[in-house]
Amino acid sequence: MTRRAVLRWPNGSDWGHLAEVPDEGGLPRFTGFVRMTDPRVRALIAGNTPQPVDDDMWEVHFTAAETELVPA
């Protein structure tokens, strides 16, 4: 089973937050904050296209296997 996750951050912010999407659906569960300058975050964003959401937010959907940012 592939775990799905979301990285979301305000435009221009130094911090973003990670959330894991439950297999059964529903709201994502917060897993932690990340610095947007972290090389792992930069690589994740480079490999996935961020989408604008809400007013001033960006979001990237990915699988947990794509990064070590999401706790096992």
Side-chain angles (χ1 to χ4, degrees):
M1 192 171 318
T2 303
R3 292 173 38 220
R4 296 179 307 133
V6 177
L7 168 63
R8 194 172 215 204
W9 67 99
N11 188 30
S13 177
D14 290 338
W15 291 93
H17 61 84
L18 291 170
E20 190 171 344
V21 180
D23 291 331
E24 63 277 1
L27 295 174
R29 290 186 307 260
F30 175 77
T31 59
F33 290 103
V34 294
R35 284 195 71 72
M36 297 306 292
T37 55
D38 184 316
R40 299 171 298 174
V41 172
R42 303 304 314 153
L44 181 67
I45 292 170
N48 297 279
T49 304
Q51 300 295 319
V53 292
D54 296 333
D55 292 320
D56 196 27
M57 300 289 284
W58 289 92
E59 188 171 273
V60 170
H61 292 251
F62 58 98
T63 63
E66 291 179 65
T67 180
E68 57 193 46
L69 290 169
V70 180

